[in-house]
Amino acid sequence: MKKAPFEAAPDGKLLNSGERKKLISMGVLVVLVIVAFVYVRIQDSNRKARELNEIATNDDEISVQLIVPELDPELLAGKILDAREGDRVLLQRETLDPLLEYTDSFHAGHFSALGIRSLDAEARAELSSAPEEHRGEAFLARGWIDDMDQRVGPEGRREYHGRLRLEDESYCHFVVRDIPDGLIVDDFVRIDGLFLKLYRTEAESGWVEGPLLVGAELIDSWPRPAEIDKEELRSKLALITDDTLDGGLTGLGGETFDAQWLLMDDILRGGYDDMDWEQAPTLEDGNLVNIMTNGAEWRGAPFNIPIARNMDLWTSAPGENPARADKVTMGWIGSWTWTNNKSAVLHYVLPDDAENLRGARLISARGFFVKNFAYETRDGNLRVAPFFVLTQLEEFIPPADNTIKYIGFGVCALAGAIIVLIYFGLRRDKRRAAEFQADLVRRRRARRERAQAKQGD
């Protein structure tokens, strides 16, 4: 007996065995591609999370809004005498006490919010020519204590009255309520204060005149040399010892503190602007191992830090410091290319405000190696990473990589193609099934007709 032309579906099923296997295979392939795509994305996210977990990040930053009360101008207006030379030896409690009370709880942030200025030659000239116009304005001055004595103010509170010899050999006077422990004449300090009046005091060499600043406290400071002493920097670097996991922990204090600020001071003065960084080595896996193994050999060496991941970054005001930096940026850099088991990250400080790079994914940098620094990870383990002072930190924006997008488009296109194939396959099978059923009806009708014809004969 001759087989039916559409025997592929004799039982009435829409698809034959071969076609069903093909469709199942294509469906499984689509599922596998989608699963692989999602798996790669999840693994990448997990890897980034593990890397970030290796460092102690600055996630617990507290945002503080500083509110500075306004000083009532009527407290000083027209009440201060300093127009004549003889008036400048007078210190009136009725004008001094309001400023002492106003600044009593102030710190550097309050004065910064008031728009503090350095008491330089230009500022002193302004104060001398028109003191009444600048009453209560904020100024900062640094210098050596030339004279100081302790007095008792209202309600028995201590006050310190004195005179500073500034770095340009001019003078200013001060009244504060607090000083560092052990402070003596000839110590170098900083004062943030409000201008009260032009004031005169008698020194061994005669009468000394200068602005009188009223503030909360004197702060220990550092005189700034005319230029960086490179020999002092080298000697400080030579005294640094690397941290180790077996207990040799010195942190970032002591000689490391001195060396890093000498470096940052030199950077801020432009001491490395003309340096040929193309001659400096690149921080690759090999010399990273050398640094971690023998830090003393590389102490103070310059390095180009290639494109790497911005692991963490934060900017802060460091307070009074030897380099007189208003802002510093600290953070962590990690690289996929640092595959050794010594360290895959480095810690750094930059004497600049790089808050704009906080959201950057990739960065590159230049800087100087200082020491191997021990830090505690989030999970409490102790690890060691190189610590650098950076001269430059930049965001790297790679060319648009559409690989993931193209993969997504490919997956969608493949899924759409399979859906179309299944749709047309079902339509074709339905048409074939209808043709098969019509053929069966036609054959039955033909058999009946032949049977009836035989009976008629």
Side-chain angles (χ1 to χ4, degrees):
M1 180 179 178
K2 189 176 180 180
K3 292 184 179 179
F6 297 101
E7 195 177 26
D11 53 359
K13 293 182 179 179
L14 295 178
L15 300 173
N16 63 36
S17 176
E19 290 174 330
R20 285 198 301 273
K21 288 180 180 179
K22 289 179 182 179
L23 290 177
I24 291 172
S25 298
M26 287 188 289
V28 170
L29 180 60
V30 171
V31 172
L32 289 176
V33 171
I34 294 174
V35 169
F37 179 75
V38 173
Y39 176 78
V40 169
R41 300 293 291 175
I42 293 175
Q43 286 296 102
D44 184 59
S45 298
N46 290 340
R47 178 177 55 78
K48 291 178 181 178
R50 287 196 301 271
E51 289 173 345
L52 286 172
N53 192 53
E54 292 296 324
I55 61 176
T57 61
N58 204 45
D59 291 337
D60 299 328
E61 291 183 57
I62 300 175
S63 178
V64 178
Q65 183 179 9
L66 187 63
I67 300 176
V68 181
E70 292 187 9
L71 176 66
D72 184 358
E74 296 300 320
L75 295 174
L76 304 178
K79 299 179 181 179
I80 298 174
L81 303 175
D82 60 358
R84 298 174 301 177
E85 191 174 274
D87 296 334
R88 296 173 187 173
V89 299
L90 303 176
L91 189 58
Q92 304 157 276
R93 296 299 318 190
E94 65 174 316
T95 54
L96 172 62
D97 291 343
L99 286 191
L100 280 173
E101 290 300 322
Y102 178 68
T103 61
D104 187 45
S105 60
F106 275 21
H107 55 69
H110 293 88
F111 289 104
S112 178
L114 291 173
I116 194 168
R117 298 168 54 195
S118 177
L119 190 63
D120 53 20
E122 181 181 353
R124 290 196 305 274
E126 293 177 10
L127 298 181
S128 296
S129 61
E132 192 67 31
E133 296 178 8
H134 301 283
R135 309 285 188 204
E137 290 186 5
F139 293 90
L140 71 87
R142 295 182 179 90
W144 293 269
I145 297 178
D146 193 60
D147 182 59
M148 183 176 64
D149 63 273
Q150 179 179 325
R151 303 182 188 180
V152 178
E155 301 178 358
R157 296 192 64 179
R158 288 182 303 178
E159 296 175 359
Y160 296 90
H161 294 230
R163 182 176 61 242
L164 295 183
R165 177 171 54 88
L166 308 183
E167 290 176 294
D168 62 359
E169 298 301 321
S170 62
Y171 290 87
C172 83
H173 298 83
F174 64 85
V175 178
V176 297
R177 282 181 168 167
D178 195 17
I179 64 173
D181 292 337
L183 194 69
I184 60 174
V185 171
D186 289 333
D187 283 349
F188 194 86
V189 296
R190 165 179 165 170
I191 178 175
D192 294 357
L194 304 184
F195 171 65
L196 178 61
K197 66 177 294 181
L198 299 175
Y199 194 58
R200 287 170 62 87
T201 56
E202 190 173 10
E204 292 183 0
S205 58
W207 288 95
V208 175
E209 184 173 305
L212 172 62
L213 303 182
V214 180
E217 60 181 346
L218 297 180
I219 305 169
D220 284 321
S221 186
W222 295 262
R224 202 177 191 197
E227 59 183 29
I228 294 296
D229 186 342
K230 299 290 187 179
E231 186 58 39
E232 181 185 8
L233 174 57
R234 282 191 288 269
S235 65
K236 292 293 185 183
L237 288 168
L239 293 173
I240 295 175
T241 57
D242 292 310
D243 292 350
T244 60
L245 295 180
D246 57 5
L249 306 179
T250 56
L252 300 179
E255 290 80 11
T256 304
F257 177 88
D258 295 337
Q260 73 173 4
W261 283 111
L262 283 171
L263 273 170
M264 286 193 281
D265 194 7
D266 209 359
I267 292 168
L268 290 174
R269 294 172 187 243
Y272 302 101
D273 289 351
D274 298 330
M275 182 173 174
D276 186 3
W277 283 95
E278 291 185 0
Q279 301 300 317
T282 299
L283 190 63
E284 299 172 337
D285 194 57
N287 51 31
L288 182 61
V289 173
N290 294 334
I291 287 174
M292 298 293 293
T293 304
N294 185 10
E297 181 181 342
W298 298 91
R299 197 89 63 214
F303 282 93
N304 291 297
I305 300 171
I307 300 165
R309 276 203 56 215
N310 178 21
M311 307 290 287
D312 194 25
L313 180 153
W314 64 94
T315 300
S316 62
E320 187 65 358
N321 59 81
R324 301 184 183 176
D326 295 325
K327 293 280 189 177
V328 297
T329 299
M330 302 189 73
W332 295 83
I333 296 174
S335 176
W336 301 278
T337 64
W338 299 337
T339 57
N340 67 86
N341 59 359
K342 295 290 185 180
S343 178
V345 298
L346 65 81
H347 189 32
Y348 68 84
V349 61
L350 171 76
D352 196 6
D353 184 351
E355 182 68 21
N356 61 305
L357 298 180
R358 188 172 180 85
R361 188 175 67 89
L362 299 175
I363 52 179
S364 62
R366 294 171 177 170
F368 299 90
F369 168 70
V370 176
K371 69 172 294 182
N372 292 314
F373 166 66
Y375 65 97
E376 187 175 334
T377 63
R378 283 179 171 178
D379 52 12
N381 294 324
L382 196 64
R383 301 196 66 179
V384 175
F387 174 68
F388 279 74
V389 172
L390 299 185
T391 65
Q392 179 180 303
L393 185 66
E394 294 181 341
E395 181 178 11
F396 174 77
I397 302 177
D401 184 2
N402 298 316
T403 303
I404 299 300
K405 182 171 68 175
Y406 291 153
I407 291 175
F409 287 160
V411 170
C412 293
L414 180 60
I418 291 176
I419 291 172
V420 170
L421 288 174
I422 292 175
Y423 172 75
F424 283 106
L426 291 174
R427 287 192 60 183
R428 185 194 65 178
D429 196 68
K430 184 176 181 180
R431 186 177 67 254
R432 288 183 176 181
E435 292 174 353
F436 180 72
Q437 292 296 330
D439 185 65
L440 290 179
V441 170
R442 187 172 59 254
R443 291 183 181 185
R444 292 193 192 99
R445 185 178 296 121
R447 284 197 296 270
R448 284 199 300 268
E449 290 175 353
R450 285 196 298 270
Q452 291 174 356
K454 289 180 180 180
Q455 290 176 357
D457 293 340

